[in-house]
Amino acid sequence: MSKMDLKLFFLLGGVLFTLLSVLHFESLKYLSSAMAVLLLFSFPIFVSIFSFLIYKEKLKVKSIIALFFTFISMIFLLGVSFQGINMKGVMLAILAAIVYALYMILGKKVTDNNSPVVTSTYVTSFAALGVIFIGLITSELHLNFGSNAWIYIFGIVVISTIIGEITLFKSLQILTSTNVSMISMVEPIFTSIFGLLFLQEVMEPLQLLGGVFILIGLTFLIYFQNKN
């Protein structure tokens, strides 16, 4: 492993991942969780722009239309309300989306020379150090929670973070960063499904319709973008 790779790992985990976490959770102080997630998942738009500027990946007109259709469908799935929207929260969420896009772009570059397991190990380690550092200087790092919380923390660390990061970097090895970001837009659908199964959350018919439209939009999006 070269010194340059190590620097890129630090930039991915210690800077971008940490900054993404801070911006996203800060936006939740001013926005509903649905609105924050919706704005965060505008990141494929920024990935497409950065990929065009850096890798010359062109986004076709039909793909742009499908991307817009998918984003609108997400509004119905998440049940977003635009009443009394806080602009500070909006700016924080959009900044988080831009950082997420840069994370994807740089992740693609790193996985060209390193395995997904190695990449995720260094990135998550640097990210942990970054979050601990931010928590210490802001005095917001607390460990005074119940013992049962460790079960959920373990699940978040192993399933959502370690396995999630490995599969993300593996997909970046195989696909373009633009395609990976587009496919990632299916995440809110699984969030809604798991909320329904484990949290007894109720989904309105309009939300279900929004989920179906997201899948339709993503299907056309990937088809148009990769048709040759």
Side-chain angles (χ1 to χ4, degrees), residues 27-175:
S27 70
L28 287 170
K29 294 180 179 179
Y30 307 97
L31 301 173
S32 66
S33 58
M35 176 61 75
V37 169
L38 175 68
L39 293 174
L40 177 64
F41 275 86
S42 65
F43 79 91
I45 298 172
F46 298 108
V47 171
S48 301
I49 295 172
F50 295 147
S51 295
F52 173 75
L53 295 175
I54 298 171
Y55 298 123
K56 306 303 178 185
E57 295 178 13
K58 294 183 179 179
L59 189 65
K60 300 174 183 178
V61 175
K62 290 182 179 179
S63 299
I64 295 174
I65 296 174
L67 181 60
F68 179 75
F69 175 80
T70 304
F71 186 75
I72 294 299
S73 299
M74 201 174 292
I75 295 176
F76 294 100
L77 173 67
L78 297 173
V80 173
S81 173
F82 292 93
Q83 292 183 350
I85 189 169
N86 186 293
M87 292 309 299
K88 182 177 181 179
V90 170
M91 293 303 300
L92 288 169
I94 291 176
L95 284 174
I98 293 174
V99 172
Y100 199 176
L102 293 173
Y103 182 81
M104 280 278 193
I105 297 295
L106 187 58
K108 174 66 177 175
K109 180 177 178 61
V110 170
T111 52
D112 288 341
N113 302 318
N114 300 277
S115 73
V117 175
V118 170
T119 302
S120 62
T121 299
Y122 277 96
V123 169
T124 51
S125 297
F126 280 126
L129 292 175
V131 172
I132 290 173
F133 176 75
I134 295 294
L136 290 175
I137 63 175
T138 58
S139 299
E140 293 183 352
L141 184 64
H142 302 287
L143 299 177
N144 54 338
F145 39 76
S147 57
N148 290 337
W150 287 107
I151 299 174
Y152 301 105
I153 292 173
F154 180 80
I156 293 172
V157 170
V158 175
I159 299 174
S160 302
T161 304
I162 296 177
I163 297 178
E165 288 295 294
I166 291 174
T167 52
L168 170 64
F169 289 123
K170 183 61 179 178
S171 66
L172 285 170
Q173 272 189 336
I174 302 170
L175 305 171

